[in-house]
Amino acid sequence: MSVITRNSYGAVAVNKVVLERMIIEDMLGMDRLLMLSNKKGKPIKEKPTPIIDPDYYDAVEVSEKKGEVKVKIYLVVKYGGNISRIADKIFEAVEKDFGMLRLEKPRSISVKIRGITGVNSDDIVKRNIDIVRNNA
């Protein structure tokens, strides 16, 4: 699947894997605030390898249906993090990635918080919090 849009620069086609990779790299840059997780809330531990682990692609979904792009990001928030501020940072990062490629903002961006780490980062308190930003 590719996201295709036409604008003043011409037609732009971007493979969804490229968008997912850009979003994953942004999320890995926020490692003090969050950990990416799968849909069930199991955190994906950061590996010390220079390549992006294929498990990270379970944490980000970019889908297109009838010309509308939707982004879902699954994560676990680290202890002491402000959920609304973290969500705003994620929304801005995703919109910046789309803007860099001259694509329209996604129709919706969903941040799905599946847990919060305890004081010890090994303990995870399960949560099911969805924060959504809709763009018209």
Side-chain angles (χ1 to χ4, degrees), residues 13-104:
V14 180
N15 191 319
K16 88 174 188 117
V17 175
V18 172
L19 290 168
E20 289 174 349
R21 183 179 179 112
M22 291 173 70
I23 294 169
I24 289 168
E25 287 178 358
D26 287 341
M27 298 303 106
L28 292 176
M30 297 181 196
D31 62 342
R32 291 178 315 207
L33 304 172
L34 58 91
M35 291 185 292
L36 291 171
S37 73
N38 63 15
K39 293 176 186 172
K40 295 181 180 179
K42 182 180 177 207
I44 302 168
K45 303 291 183 187
E46 190 167 346
K47 311 273 190 311
T49 58
I51 59 171
I52 290 184
D53 188 345
D55 291 342
Y56 286 128
Y57 290 100
D58 292 340
V60 177
E61 287 181 17
V62 176
S63 61
E64 179 192 20
K65 202 178 267 186
K66 297 181 183 175
E68 293 183 353
V69 178
K70 295 182 180 180
V71 177
K72 294 179 186 175
I73 302 168
Y74 298 89
L75 54 94
V76 172
V77 174
K78 291 194 177 178
Y79 179 77
N82 183 319
I83 292 174
S84 61
R85 280 196 208 129
I86 291 170
D88 281 338
K89 283 184 178 187
I90 292 170
F91 295 146
E92 290 170 10
V94 170
E95 290 174 354
K96 184 179 135 200
D97 289 341
F98 275 74
M100 183 173 28
L101 296 171
R102 304 282 193 244
L103 297 171
E104 292 180 20

Side-chain angles (χ1 to χ4, degrees), residues 4-12 99 101-104:
I4 301 173
T5 186
R6 297 189 189 288
N7 57 27
S8 60
Y9 298 101
V12 178
L101 296 171
R102 304 282 193 244
L103 297 171
E104 292 180 20

